[in-house]
Amino acid sequence: MFRLSNLLASVVEGKPARVLDGAIAIWNFTNRCNLSCLHCYSKADLHATDTLTTEDVMRTLPELKANGVKFLIFSGGEPLTRKDLFEIAAECKRLGIVTYLSTNGLYVKKGNAEKILDTFDYVGISIDGSPEVHDRFRGLKGAFAESMKAIELLNSYGKKKVGIRFTITKETYEDLAFIFELAEKRRIPKIYISHLVYSGRGLDNLKMDLTKSQRTEAVTYIIDKAFEYYRDGTEIEIVTGNMEPDALLFYRRFAVEYPEHAEEMLRRLKAWGGNSAGRKLLNIDSEGNVKPDPFFPFTIGNILNENFTDMWTRNPSPMLKRLREHPRTLSGVCATCEDIEICNGGSRSRAYAIYGDLWAEDPSCYLRDTQTVSE
């Protein structure tokens, strides 16, 4: 993920950056969900049954900690459908692992709101545009209203740890401004904007992805808002995900606005290092499969029959070793791109989905002489 707001403020003000000291694990604890979202990479539905037991999870958590995982994102499906979720999160806290909850918010009620806030360090609730757009995208009439009730309920406790998660596609593109207006009016402290990755229903609905020109326009708008918020002192953090080239467009703007800090920003962007799948990012899906990211077409093992330390640290596969190269050796426009040290070639999952080659260029890169697949 690319933390625009934090980078902007920290560099201009000469403060240390928020550095990821360790790895992030995204764990899909269940494939059961009460919604049917068009872009869902796990194709979750309400009839799924949980494969992993509480014991399976608890046995693996110390292994994650021992291998440098500092942050654990609770995902799904809808993670709040698991009855042992709070028990799992409590064990993470005991181990010193920071916990994030990614939810649609429909199971957030007065009866569990305080417990959610006390348990998780951050809660991201999905909002994909205006009520009509959100409900169509999420497959349930009234979903927007229920998700907003959850956001307002949780933020009413004054802890400022609940934000919006927004996936930008052709379906939601026109509502990008609506999301920012919503955050401003409701004083929502964080907006996370995810680009589409071709996996699950996201692959089935490939035509939903933005064109190159749409993506450039959208990211330019996002960057404009980051600079606006910084100048005005608006306390809304902006983060983008699954599109590392955003950092390059951000840098171009930053170098114009703050040329005296451009060298330091460039240094920090290179230290950030772009796509970190298989290096500082991993995924465990609802079946126990371990992958370099949630969208990845291949697994590196399964926690039900393999030791996590063996697959992640002691005996990493050739694929995992190559993913950990920085910058990666890739083909296409990435082979000669001068900026690959910053973005690290973007998404390997998108490259494989389109070209059948993990080491091809990211087809969604909008800053080079390539077209996006849908253009």
Side-chain angles (χ1 to χ4, degrees):
M1 63 182 67
F2 179 55
R3 302 181 182 276
L4 287 77
S5 301
N6 177 261
L7 263 173
L8 175 55
S10 63
V11 171
V12 173
E13 296 170 15
K15 297 178 180 179
R18 187 185 301 172
V19 178
L20 177 59
D21 180 24
I24 294 175
I26 302 172
W27 196 328
N28 302 90
F29 285 102
T30 181
N31 207 40
R32 187 170 55 255
C33 188
N34 52 334
L35 296 179
S36 184
C37 308
L38 292 177
H39 65 304
C40 180
Y41 61 80
S42 60
K43 296 187 178 181
D45 64 62
L46 196 55
H47 304 293
T49 57
D50 294 335
T51 298
L52 302 176
T53 66
T54 306
E55 291 72 24
D56 293 330
V57 175
M58 293 299 194
R59 184 181 65 251
T60 305
L61 291 177
E63 288 288 313
L64 296 182
K65 174 69 175 181
N67 285 274
V69 171
K70 299 288 184 70
F71 300 84
L72 182 57
I73 298 176
F74 285 59
S75 188
E78 171 49 54
L80 286 173
T81 62
R82 275 196 73 125
K83 294 180 180 179
D84 59 358
L85 200 71
F86 293 105
E87 183 182 350
I88 294 168
E91 178 64 9
C92 287
K93 184 174 288 188
R94 189 188 71 79
L95 291 168
I97 299 174
V98 176
T99 56
Y100 287 11
L101 175 64
S102 178
T103 175
N104 59 43
L106 271 64
Y107 290 130
V108 176
K109 306 296 179 184
K110 287 185 179 180
N112 64 5
E114 270 195 285
K115 189 174 185 180
I116 289 171
L117 291 171
D118 291 342
T119 301
F120 294 96
D121 296 279
Y122 175 76
V123 181
I125 295 182
S126 301
I127 298 289
D128 284 298
S130 61
E132 180 182 351
V133 170
H134 177 91
D135 288 359
R136 182 174 67 248
F137 199 67
R138 294 273 158 182
L140 180 68
K141 188 173 178 60
F144 176 88
E146 293 302 310
S147 294
M148 283 307 304
K149 283 180 186 177
I151 291 172
E152 292 179 351
L153 173 61
L154 292 171
N155 278 332
S156 71
Y157 290 86
K159 296 189 177 182
K160 293 186 176 181
K161 58 164 64 175
V162 181
I164 291 175
R165 296 175 59 85
F166 172 78
T167 300
I168 187 165
T169 68
K170 284 179 179 173
E171 296 280 330
T172 63
Y173 168 74
E174 302 249 341
D175 278 16
L176 180 61
F178 172 88
I179 291 296
F180 282 89
E181 291 166 6
L182 186 68
E184 293 163 13
K185 290 177 181 176
R186 306 293 180 92
R187 297 184 179 180
I188 299 169
K190 183 174 179 179
I191 304 171
Y192 173 83
I193 300 152
S194 177
H195 295 264
L196 186 70
V197 180
Y198 315 141
S199 181
R201 293 195 191 103
L203 180 56
D204 295 341
N205 294 282
L206 182 58
K207 291 182 180 178
M208 292 193 324
D209 200 17
L210 302 180
T211 65
K212 181 177 180 179
S213 58
Q214 284 177 326
R215 199 179 308 279
T216 302
E217 183 177 343
V219 177
T220 299
Y221 178 84
I222 294 164
I223 291 170
D224 286 345
K225 296 302 286 189
F227 280 87
E228 175 192 324
Y229 288 167
Y230 179 70
R231 286 193 305 267
D232 298 345
T234 302
E235 294 184 353
I236 297 176
E237 182 182 6
I238 302 172
V239 180
T240 67
N242 303 315
M243 188 55 65
E244 289 77 16
D246 289 354
L248 306 177
L249 197 61
F250 170 80
Y251 175 73
R252 293 174 188 175
R253 170 69 179 275
F254 184 89
V256 172
E257 296 272 348
Y258 300 100
E260 68 276 21
H261 299 297
E263 186 176 345
E264 173 61 14
M265 178 58 79
L266 187 60
R267 185 189 70 79
R268 292 201 191 186
L269 288 174
K270 289 180 178 180
W272 167 65
N275 187 278
S276 61
R279 183 166 54 98
K280 290 189 174 183
L281 176 66
L282 66 99
N283 170 247
I284 304 176
D285 70 16
S286 61
E287 303 292 320
N289 296 307
V290 179
K291 299 184 288 186
D293 70 36
F295 317 100
F296 216 79
F298 304 109
T299 67
I300 62 171
N302 188 293
I303 62 168
L304 294 178
N305 49 44
E306 296 173 71
N307 180 273
F308 179 80
T309 298
D310 286 343
M311 66 179 92
W312 189 252
T313 304
R314 287 198 193 107
N315 302 303
S317 66
M319 178 186 72
L320 204 53
K321 289 180 180 178
R322 187 166 176 183
L323 281 172
R324 290 172 177 173
E325 294 176 0
H326 190 271
R328 294 169 181 151
T329 302
L330 305 174
S331 61
V333 295
C334 293
T336 56
C337 180
E338 296 179 356
D339 297 317
I340 194 169
E341 193 174 353
I342 294 175
C343 77
N344 206 24
S347 171
R348 302 298 85 223
S349 301
R350 274 192 294 254
Y352 188 82
I354 300 307
Y355 302 120
D357 180 2
L358 279 176
W359 317 112
E361 64 190 53
D362 183 340
S364 286
C365 179
Y366 56 102
L367 300 179
R368 296 291 174 242
D369 296 328
T370 56
Q371 300 287 308
T372 55
V373 174
S374 54
E375 193 168 28

